[in-house]
Amino acid sequence: MSAAEETLKQTEASRDKSAPVINKFLDFISSVRFGVVILCILVALSVLGMVVIQQNVEGFDAYYATRTPAERALYGGLGLFDVYHSWYYNALLLVLSLNIVLASIDRFPGAWAYITNAKKTATRDFLLKLKDHAIVETNATNEAAVIDKLKADFSASGFSPVVSEDEITSYAVDESGKKDFSRMETKRYSYVFGERGKWNRIGAYIVHVFLLILFLGHFVALQYGFDADVALTPDTNPQVQRDFNAANKTSTIQLIRFNLDKKERYNVELPFTITCTEISQSLIDTGGQIGIDNTMDWRTQIRIDDPEYGQTVADVSLNNPYTYRGYRFFQASTIAVGSASSMTLELTPAGPDGNVLPDQKPITVVLKRNESATLPDGTRIDYDNFVPDFSMRGNQITTNSADYNNPAAILNVTTPAKGDKPEETIKVFAFANKLPDNAPIAAAKAGYKWFMKEYVKSPVAHVLSIKYDPFNAAFVAWYIGGFGLIIALGFIFFTSHRRVWAMVEPKGDDKFEVVFGGDANRNNLAFGDRFRSLIGRFSGNNSSENKG
C-alpha cells in the first residue's frame, strides 16, 4: 500500500454539497462541536442554578422576599428559580443525549476497527512521519535473527509482538534518490508490530453509555417518582398525634409542590397502610437530652399492611433504609420532644387513709409504651401518655419544655370489682422526681403510691422520608451511571493506546535496516520515553542510529 493511499484512507471524505437537507441536519446535530456547545450551556445553567437559590431549597422564601418586583418577574419568567426542572434544561439534556447517540453511531465503527483490525504493516514514509521514529542499522546472519531480537525487545517493553510480511509496490528510485516514475518495483518487507491499551479507543463510548444512563435515570425518577415526609409516632393517644402533627397509622402521605415562595401541599394515597409500632434512639450520653448532637442512631419499627401482599414488619434506621414496592424509607429527622419507650414503676401499697402500709415491699412493674400490665391483686395498668416536663394549666396537662426536667407517666389504672364495688378506672401520675408526701398529685391512688423509678428515653415521633422510585431509576442513575462515569473517565485519562512498528529491510552483506515508528492517542510524553527505551534496548552497540 502506498503512502498516498494510506493518507487518503485516514482523511475524512468530503461531504457532498448536494446531500439531502436531513443528512446535513443529522451531520450538524451529531457533530462534536455542537455537543460541546450544548454541554457548555448546560454547565452555565447549572452554575446559575447554584448562584440563584432554587425554590425547593431551605431559605428560599427569605431570598425571594429580598428580590425586587422586577427581579421576581424576570427570574420567574425565565424559570431561574427552578432551573433544573425547567423545560429548556430538560430539552437541552434531550438534545445532548441525541447528540451523544448519533455521534457514537457515526464514529464507533472507526474506533472499533482499531480493536478488530489492527494496522500491522506500514510504509517507510508513514513511519518516518510519526512524531516518534528512528532508523537503526544492525548486523545479523539472517533476517530471522533480527525478527527474534525485535520480538524479545518488544515483549520486554510491554508490547505483545506480532510478526507479518507485506509486499509494497512503489515507484523505483534512481541513483540520486529521486523517484523514477517510468518504473515500478515490488519489495517484500517483514514487520514486527506491538500495541497495548487498545480498548482505550472505545473509552469515549463507554463514557457516553454511562452519561446516557445518568440522564435517563434522573429523567425517569423525576417523571415517575416523588419524595415526601411523614411524621410517625408509636403513641396511640389522639392528643399526642394532634399536638405533634404525627400519625400512629396512615395510608396517606403529603407531597409538597413549590410555587415560588409558596409551598402547596396535597395528599397522595398509598396502596398500603403504615403503622408505627415503636421508635428508639441510641444516645451517646444516656443521661443527656435526645437532641441530634447526642444521638448515634435512630430506629423506627413499622408494620405495613398491604391488601395485596399481606403484612410486613420492617426496621428503618439511620444507615439502614428499607425498600418496599418501589417505596424507599429513610430516617429524615426527629420531633425531639421527650418521651419514653418503656418505664419501670415502683408501687408502694397504701391503706385507705393514703398512708404507706408498714412491712409492705414495693412492687416493681416494667411497662412498655402502649402496653398494659396486671398486678397480683388484679389491678390493670394501661399506658396513656408521657410528659417530659410536667405542668398543669387549669385542667389541661402540658409540658413546659421538650427536655426531661420533670418527667411523668400518665396511666389509666383499673381496679377490679370487689363485692358491691364495681371496677373503676382512674387516671394516675407517676413522677420520676420525688414529690412531697402532702402534694395532692402525689397522693395514693388505687391502693398504691406511684413512682417512676426508671425510663428509657425516646422522642415522641420520627420523621421518615419516603422516596418513590418504581424503576429504581435514581439508584441506577447515581450508582451505575455516576460511579460508572467516574471509572470510565479514569480509564480514558490514565490509560492510552500505544502502537509501535518495526519495518525490517535487508541491505546486503548481513546488514539490515530497521525503521521504527510509534504513536499514542494520549500521554505522548510517557510514550516517548518508552519508545526511546525500546530503541536503546534494540540498538545496543549497533553501527548507526537516527532518532526523530
Side-chain angles (χ1 to χ4, degrees):
M1 183 185 296
S2 68
E5 289 174 327
E6 286 193 325
T7 304
L8 288 173
K9 189 174 181 179
Q10 294 176 29
T11 304
E12 183 180 355
S14 60
R15 302 291 187 184
D16 185 359
K17 294 184 179 179
S18 61
V21 175
I22 185 65
N23 289 0
K24 294 181 179 179
F25 175 72
L26 290 175
D27 290 341
F28 172 71
I29 63 173
S30 64
S31 66
V32 175
R33 181 178 300 177
F34 178 72
V36 170
V37 170
I38 296 298
L39 184 61
C40 290
I41 295 173
L42 281 170
V43 170
L45 289 174
S46 299
V47 172
L48 194 60
M50 291 186 287
V51 173
V52 178
I53 297 180
Q54 301 296 283
Q55 63 184 18
N56 60 342
V57 175
E58 188 72 26
F60 172 78
D61 48 355
Y63 172 78
Y64 185 80
T66 61
R67 301 298 95 191
T68 65
E71 288 176 328
R72 295 176 190 174
L74 178 62
Y75 291 4
L78 294 176
L80 299 184
F81 291 128
D82 195 20
V83 170
Y84 306 112
H85 297 91
S86 62
W87 67 267
Y88 52 82
Y89 193 89
N90 290 325
L92 287 172
L93 280 178
L94 178 62
V95 172
L96 180 59
S97 301
L98 182 62
N99 170 266
I100 291 172
V101 171
L102 293 177
S104 299
I105 293 173
D106 192 27
R107 294 168 176 81
F108 181 77
W112 185 246
Y114 281 100
I115 298 173
T116 60
N117 188 23
K119 180 181 174 62
K120 299 175 183 177
T121 63
T123 64
R124 180 188 180 93
D125 288 344
F126 173 83
L127 296 178
L128 295 179
K129 287 180 180 178
L130 296 176
K131 179 181 178 182
D132 294 295
H133 64 269
I135 300 175
V136 179
E137 292 183 358
T138 184
N139 297 320
T141 56
N142 54 52
E143 187 174 298
V146 178
I147 297 297
D148 290 341
K149 177 72 166 93
L150 285 169
K151 288 170 62 178
D153 292 339
F154 270 52
S155 297
S157 298
F159 297 99
S160 299
V162 177
V163 179
S164 58
E165 293 183 354
D166 192 16
E167 290 186 349
I168 297 179
T169 300
S170 59
Y171 293 110
V173 180
D174 59 22
E175 295 179 355
S176 63
K178 294 183 179 180
K179 290 184 178 180
D180 183 357
F181 294 103
S182 63
R183 293 185 300 115
M184 302 289 292
E185 59 181 8
T186 300
K187 290 185 178 181
R188 183 191 63 81
Y189 297 94
S190 294
Y191 295 89
V192 178
F193 169 73
E195 66 178 339
R196 61 184 300 168
K198 63 181 180 181
W199 291 101
N200 182 269
R201 291 287 181 175
I202 62 170
Y205 306 99
I206 299 175
V207 170
H208 291 176
V209 169
F210 286 118
L211 270 176
L212 291 175
I213 291 174
L214 190 63
F215 293 164
L216 181 62
H218 281 296
F219 178 78
V220 172
L222 183 64
Q223 294 298 316
Y224 298 100
F226 57 76
D227 292 287
D229 289 340
V230 58
L232 294 175
T233 176
D235 207 314
T236 56
N237 191 319
Q239 181 181 346
V240 173
Q241 298 178 40
R242 288 194 305 269
D243 289 347
F244 301 103
N245 194 27
N248 170 256
K249 182 177 182 179
T250 183
S251 62
T252 303
I253 56 176
Q254 195 172 67
L255 303 188
I256 298 174
R257 181 189 294 115
F258 292 94
N259 183 13
L260 295 182
D261 60 334
K262 298 178 181 178
K263 293 182 180 180
E264 301 170 354
R265 301 178 182 271
Y266 60 98
N267 293 331
V268 172
E269 282 293 323
L270 297 173
F272 48 80
T273 300
I274 306 171
T275 302
C276 179
T277 55
E278 188 54 87
I279 63 176
S280 60
Q281 197 160 336
S282 300
L283 299 178
I284 300 172
D285 176 13
T286 55
Q289 300 299 334
I290 56 172
I292 295 175
D293 55 350
N294 190 37
T295 302
M296 292 186 293
D297 194 12
W298 289 274
R299 173 181 165 271
T300 306
Q301 186 180 75
I302 58 174
R303 186 180 70 244
I304 299 175
D305 295 292
D306 193 327
E308 188 173 350
Y309 295 96
Q311 192 176 94
T312 303
V313 176
D315 279 340
V316 183
S317 60
L318 190 63
N319 297 313
N320 186 32
Y322 180 73
T323 301
Y324 182 80
R325 292 184 62 181
Y327 295 84
R328 193 164 176 82
F329 298 83
F330 300 87
Q331 287 288 348
S333 61
T334 180
I335 298 177
V337 175
S339 184
S341 58
S342 67
M343 60 205 72
T344 301
L345 303 174
E346 188 176 86
L347 282 61
T348 304
D353 58 357
N355 294 322
V356 175
L357 296 176
D359 302 326
Q360 293 288 327
K361 293 183 177 180
I363 300 173
T364 300
V365 178
V366 176
L367 185 65
K368 292 185 177 181
R369 180 162 38 193
N370 293 326
E371 291 190 0
S372 301
T374 303
L375 301 179
D377 63 0
T379 301
R380 190 178 77 247
I381 306 171
D382 295 305
Y383 170 89
D384 180 44
N385 198 359
F386 184 95
V387 182
D389 194 0
F390 185 89
S391 177
M392 291 287 293
R393 295 177 184 174
N395 293 325
Q396 185 70 32
I397 300 172
T398 186
T399 181
N400 288 325
S401 69
D403 298 332
Y404 295 91
N405 296 325
N406 185 27
I410 304 174
L411 311 169
N412 292 322
V413 179
T414 303
T415 56
K418 292 182 180 180
D420 296 334
K421 185 178 180 182
E423 72 173 20
E424 180 185 9
T425 299
I426 58 176
K427 194 172 290 295
V428 173
F429 303 100
F431 289 88
N433 299 330
K434 290 288 187 179
L435 300 179
D437 290 337
N438 60 354
I441 203 169
K445 291 185 178 181
Y448 298 95
K449 283 270 192 175
W450 300 78
F451 174 66
M452 185 165 58
K453 187 177 181 181
E454 295 176 350
Y455 57 91
V456 178
K457 295 178 180 179
S458 169
V460 71
H462 281 171
V463 179
L464 294 186
S465 175
I466 302 178
K467 182 177 182 63
Y468 181 54
D469 188 9
F471 305 106
N472 288 321
F475 176 86
V476 170
W478 280 109
Y479 290 96
I480 297 180
F483 286 106
L485 181 61
I486 294 172
I487 294 172
L489 288 172
F491 172 69
I492 285 179
F493 291 113
F494 292 101
T495 65
S496 61
H497 184 202
R498 287 162 281 184
R499 299 181 296 172
V500 177
W501 294 266
M503 177 182 178
V504 181
E505 181 179 0
K507 290 297 184 179
D509 298 331
D510 295 335
K511 289 186 177 181
F512 296 87
E513 182 183 80
V514 181
V515 180
F516 289 90
D519 74 344
N521 63 338
R522 57 177 51 86
N523 198 3
N524 288 289
L525 290 175
F527 173 75
D529 293 339
R530 183 181 290 268
F531 182 82
R532 287 186 289 274
S533 175
L534 171 62
I535 301 304
R537 181 178 285 111
F538 176 78
S539 61
N541 296 321
N542 287 308
S543 58
S544 64
E545 181 179 345
N546 178 20
K547 295 182 181 180

